[in-house]
Amino acid sequence: QVQLVESGGGIVQAGGSLRLSCAASGRTFRNLALGWFRQAPGKERKFVAALRWSGNSTFYADSVKGRFTISRDNAANTIDLQMNSLTPEDTGVYYCAANLIGTSWPAWTNARAISSWGQGTQVTVSS
């Protein structure tokens, strides 16, 4: 089991930036991918971005490509999500997630398949 703790949420105006961080602990991460999902009020939790803990593979939802960047710090066991050019549609609770890498990125983006979740951090983008 992996323990995940998010930080860095807040309120920002449209066009602004925020950086989220997720601290991971509890087991070896070599065979894991870690990433971010978000959930708007009354909607399902949706995939945002993910990366393999080992190697350079990353994957992004189409809606955030070119605006968001996911990165990791292996020494600190953290992953970050840099969010630029934010819009009100980016508003929601952002959850850090961890799961085995699996066979493909699209399979990993299924929220029902995720084994470990953080508690979530609120991001609000005002227009």
Side-chain angles (χ1 to χ4, degrees):
Q1 192 75 4
V2 179
Q3 289 76 50
L4 304 168
V5 179
E6 303 97 334
S7 61
I11 302 172
V12 65
Q13 288 189 332
S17 299
L18 277 176
R19 189 175 184 90
L20 306 182
S21 186
C22 173
S25 62
R27 57 158 285 176
T28 180
F29 309 133
R30 186 175 64 249
N31 296 321
L32 295 183
L34 282 79
W36 295 89
F37 288 70
R38 66 188 180 191
Q39 189 165 19
K43 296 191 176 181
E44 292 185 349
R45 196 169 296 187
K46 291 187 176 181
F47 171 75
V48 175
L51 54 71
R52 291 178 64 135
W53 190 256
S54 300
N56 298 317
S57 181
T58 59
F59 192 67
Y60 294 90
D62 288 342
S63 60
V64 306
K65 282 181 182 177
R67 300 188 300 123
F68 290 13
T69 302
I70 190 169
S71 62
R72 72 174 187 268
D73 183 333
N74 289 55
N77 282 355
T78 59
I79 64 167
D80 289 346
L81 185 68
Q82 177 65 42
M83 306 185 293
N84 299 327
S85 302
L86 286 162
T87 73
E89 287 69 36
D90 295 314
T91 294
V93 179
Y94 282 68
Y95 295 91
C96 187
N99 202 26
L100 292 173
I101 294 169
T103 58
S104 69
W105 275 125
W108 199 92
T109 65
N110 182 357
R112 294 180 179 86
I114 297 296
S115 59
S116 299
W117 293 101
Q119 81 285 357
T121 185
Q122 177 69 45
V123 171
T124 303
V125 184
S126 62
S127 58

